[in-house]
Amino acid sequence: MAEPEFRATGVRIGKRLRSLTRAGQVRISDGRLELLTSYGSEIDSAPVQAVRASRPWFGPDGRATADLNGNRYLLTLGDHDPAPGEPGPPAARHFIEAVRRAAGRGD
């Protein structure tokens, strides 16, 4: 298996008002976006070309939305990138940029 193009751990993943996991994982690998629980179980996945990622209109900087298979997920990533060697999720804008790059929609 190839090295993931994007990987974030410690991500809060929610669907509408329901929290699915508080320490989930987001991974882009081999042209697919995967949302995983903290135990590695798949919540949802889709080809990255079929995913729409954006920032919510209102809310803190560390949030992003991802539309997969007709479901909208709210992802709470970091407000800013962690310091080198420090744990923590990357900034939400890096997730959005990674989805667009992997889908070939912008550099």
Side-chain angles (χ1 to χ4, degrees):
M1 183 152 108
E3 184 69 26
E5 299 165 31
F6 178 86
R7 182 182 181 111
T9 58
V11 177
R12 174 177 235 134
I13 301 173
K15 186 175 173 184
R16 299 192 185 215
L17 297 176
R18 182 175 167 222
S19 178
L20 301 174
T21 183
R22 293 184 308 187
Q25 301 174 40
V26 177
R27 185 170 52 203
I28 298 175
S29 181
D30 297 329
R32 290 190 70 77
L33 173 71
E34 298 174 310
L35 302 177
L36 307 168
T37 66
S38 56
Y39 298 109
S41 300
E42 185 176 292
I43 295 170
D44 205 348
S45 71
V48 80
Q49 288 84 6
V51 173
R52 196 175 91 197
S54 62
R55 290 221 21 240
W57 283 34
F58 301 101
D61 287 339
R63 291 195 176 177
T65 60
D67 295 333
L68 287 84
N69 302 322
N71 297 311
R72 176 168 287 173
Y73 296 95
L74 179 63
L75 310 175
T76 304
L77 295 113
D79 291 332
H80 50 75
D81 290 322
E86 293 293 318
R93 67 182 169 81
H94 283 209
F95 164 70
I96 296 167
E97 290 169 3
V99 170
R100 290 182 180 154
R101 253 192 333 268
R105 285 183 268 187
D107 291 323

